[in-house]
Amino acid sequence: MTLIGALVSYLQHRQLLADSLTCGSCAIPMSLGKKADISDGLIFRCGTCKTTKSLRAGSFFSKSKLTLQKRMVLIYWWVRDYPVSDAAEEAHVGRDTAINVYQWLREVCTTKLLSTPIQLGGPGKVVQIDESLFRHKPKVNGINS
């Protein structure tokens, strides 16, 4: 199995990529096949009408132009709290691209946390939150104001 094949299988197993799609025209299952002139090298294709759909259609990765490999490298280093410039170098992308991916990941997490209420603590449990982690005084010329 190729590296991209292993990555696609991994993402499909975790339901981050579809493992099957149905053709909108024929209403039959599409098959996943190789296509050399696209970034990930794989595409869903209808055997009857030859309609194609992106491997990423309707997925977590659908709006990205980066290859899955580069995006996963950036996600890995973001999870590990790696500096953006170092992650950009590891993924062989520009710093601005890495910044955009890091921002996108923060937005995904924020959306998920805000839409899924969680309870901290409970009967007999005290939860303390250190406000210094959330409220920073703005710096003016490198000095806290």
Side-chain angles (χ1 to χ4, degrees):
M1 182 179 282
T2 64
L3 179 61
I4 186 65
L7 177 57
V8 168
S9 292
Y10 174 86
L11 295 171
Q12 287 173 329
H13 179 72
R14 281 150 187 82
Q15 298 178 336
L16 294 172
L17 284 177
D19 56 3
S20 64
L21 291 178
T22 302
C23 178
S25 302
C26 305
I28 62 170
M30 300 174 89
S31 59
L32 191 58
K34 294 180 182 181
K35 185 161 171 55
D37 61 340
I38 58 171
S39 65
D40 299 318
L42 295 169
I43 197 161
F44 284 102
R45 182 184 321 273
C46 175
T48 303
C49 70
K50 307 301 182 211
T51 297
T52 60
K53 281 209 171 201
S54 167
L55 168 67
R56 305 172 187 201
S59 79
F60 184 70
F61 304 101
S62 64
K63 295 181 179 156
S64 175
K65 293 182 181 178
L66 285 177
T67 65
L68 287 173
Q69 294 98 319
K70 288 182 180 189
R71 182 155 294 259
M72 289 303 295
V73 168
L74 290 170
I75 290 171
Y76 175 79
W77 290 119
W78 178 79
V79 167
R80 307 274 320 221
D81 202 24
Y82 214 57
V84 172
S85 54
D86 294 340
E89 188 175 322
E90 291 288 337
H92 305 289
V93 299
R95 189 172 185 279
D96 288 344
T97 298
I99 289 170
N100 289 338
V101 170
Y102 272 42
Q103 177 62 36
W104 173 76
L105 290 165
R106 284 190 296 272
E107 289 171 9
V108 167
C109 290
T110 299
T111 300
K112 180 64 176 174
L113 287 170
L114 291 174
S115 69
T116 310
I118 58 171
Q119 178 182 343
L120 299 177
K125 302 288 182 186
V126 176
V127 176
Q128 294 181 345
I129 299 175
D130 184 354
E131 292 179 20
S132 67
L133 295 174
F134 300 101
R135 295 185 176 251
H136 296 284
K137 293 182 180 179
K139 290 185 178 181
V140 179
N141 294 329
I143 301 170
N144 285 340
S145 57

